[in-house]
Amino acid sequence: MKKNTISRRAYAKVNLALDVVRRREDGYHEVRMIMQTVGLYDVLTFTGREEPGIEVKTDKEELPGNESNLIYKAAKLVMDSYPCCGGIKIELEKNIPMAAGMAGGSTDAAAVFHGMNELFGLGMTVERMCGLGVRIGADVPYCIRGGTALSEGIGEVLTKLKDAPPCFVLIAKPDIDVSTKYVYENLHADRLDWHPDIDGMRAAIENGDLYGMAGLMGNVLETVTVKKYPVIEAIKSAMKEEGALNALMSGSGPTVFGVFDDEGKRSDAFRKLKGTGLAKHIFISEWA
Ligand code: ATP
């Protein structure tokens, strides 16, 4: 008998490098980013039911399961595209901090495509899911694929890369929420005097060169977010003082991730950050 309930993990991402090439006439920004999934994830449980409709339940009061939730939007898009689906209940266990620069909403939407595809046996290819996913958000196609990837265009043009070299990762989010919209609106893409070397990082990853990769980590959105929230720089410094090869803000922030070649140094950095109170959430992780 076909299973009526399935669960899926939705992994968070960090940007090993993030460049904004230009602002397009239509207001979107053209980006070049090296994306990487990390071992921090939400869990979505899907239950098929006879009565039609979509019910989304979350375990966070501040995140309603209504039409504004990206999970709901993705489920609606799948149902409109495949009217043969019955009704569905989707329950979310939210572990990824919100408004953090870790694509928490996009990865939940991505999990809906995978989950409904499996539950209802829709036979969607990854390309088909990505084609639908980009209508929800530019990062959704990447979240559908996961792993290490170069992301271009508005984020939807993806090139799979070799897995990033293994290392020890520390993730820390200060007690502030950052709106991605605010950061892009305040970015002067035409006045940036520095750009990360995306092609150099791509080569370092292809060569399995952890030190080369860490040395090239960079994010132009720090020019906006770090200026407004100096705590981000303080977290980066704390990680580097404890031996991180490098530390960087992810996406539009404010989450910082540090890359270590030594588990002990990462533990020291974890303890130091706990002691300073600079971060509200701290996670030990690896690439996923
Ligand atoms: P990105 O890295 O893609 O910019 P983010 O990590 O900065 O994303 P999200 O956590 O994805 O930000 O969420 C931004 C806003 O989207 C939230 O404040 C919330 O109101 C809304 N949202 C809708 N659905 C979800 C969801 N399933 N999970 C998280 N946020 C959601």
Side-chain angles (χ1 to χ4, degrees):
M1 208 180 86
K2 243 175 100 192
K3 266 169 100 176
N4 194 38
T5 297
I6 58 164
S7 288
R8 259 202 97 95
R9 290 178 176 180
Y11 287 93
K13 63 84 184 160
V14 294
N15 301 85
L16 293 171
L18 192 160
D19 193 16
V20 175
V21 181
R22 70 182 181 104
R23 186 174 188 274
R24 303 194 319 195
E25 310 271 289
D26 60 9
Y28 282 100
H29 287 83
E30 215 173 281
V31 292
R32 292 193 84 213
M33 314 186 282
I34 307 274
M35 319 285 281
Q36 176 62 54
T37 32
V38 292
L40 171 64
Y41 53 84
D42 294 341
V43 181
L44 286 83
T45 302
F46 303 84
T47 306
R49 53 181 203 190
E50 270 171 29
E51 24 347 332
I54 301 162
E55 184 190 355
V56 178
K57 288 185 112 176
T58 87
D59 62 355
K60 290 273 173 295
E61 215 174 288
E62 63 274 28
L63 181 64
N66 61 21
E67 292 83 349
S68 71
N69 196 304
L70 297 187
I71 294 174
Y72 188 99
K73 289 186 183 173
K76 170 106 176 50
L77 189 52
V78 174
M79 284 202 170
D80 290 348
S81 310
Y82 296 88
C84 55
C85 301
I88 192 160
K89 176 164 139 192
I90 307 174
E91 291 158 288
L92 172 68
E93 176 194 314
K94 189 85 196 159
N95 304 311
I96 304 170
M98 293 195 282
M102 302 191 82
S106 300
T107 196
D108 289 348
V112 170
F113 291 102
H114 282 295
M116 289 180 74
N117 199 29
E118 187 182 333
L119 187 71
F120 295 119
L122 301 176
M124 284 192 278
T125 60
V126 167
E127 288 72 23
R128 168 71 173 149
M129 290 193 273
C130 289
L132 290 175
V134 73
R135 287 155 63 179
I136 307 279
D139 280 349
V140 176
Y142 163 71
C143 293
I144 287 170
R145 292 180 184 274
T148 312
L150 169 68
S151 159
E152 297 173 289
I154 59 163
E156 85 294 17
V157 181
L158 298 168
T159 308
K160 184 172 170 33
L161 303 181
K162 208 166 125 181
D163 289 347
C167 56
F168 304 97
V169 182
L170 188 62
I171 297 170
K173 185 194 177 241
D175 192 11
I176 42 175
D177 291 344
V178 170
S179 140
T180 305
K181 191 162 171 274
Y182 167 87
V183 175
Y184 275 98
E185 276 173 3
N186 286 278
L187 178 78
H188 300 290
D190 51 343
R191 277 190 253 151
L192 292 168
D193 53 14
W194 175 85
H195 292 271
D197 179 2
I198 302 285
D199 294 324
M201 176 173 283
R202 186 178 172 176
I205 290 172
E206 294 296 334
N207 292 328
D209 175 5
L210 174 64
Y211 300 94
M213 182 194 87
L216 292 171
M217 282 162 50
N219 179 350
V220 297
L221 300 182
E222 286 189 343
T223 58
V224 180
T225 320
V226 175
K227 204 153 92 192
K228 187 158 185 223
Y229 301 108
V231 64
I232 296 169
E233 195 57 57
I235 294 175
K236 288 176 63 175
S237 300
M239 288 191 188
K240 288 192 225 172
E241 277 159 23
E242 294 304 320
L245 300 176
N246 210 344
L248 189 73
M249 185 182 86
S250 179
S252 50
T255 301
V256 171
F257 68 98
V259 168
F260 298 78
D261 63 356
D262 181 284
E263 197 171 3
K265 286 181 189 162
R266 181 188 52 188
S267 302
D268 293 344
F270 180 91
R271 274 192 294 275
K272 176 165 185 172
L273 272 176
K274 274 248 175 236
T276 59
L278 291 169
K280 184 177 183 200
H281 304 282
I282 313 176
F283 306 97
I284 277 172
S285 186
E286 63 288 323
W287 306 141

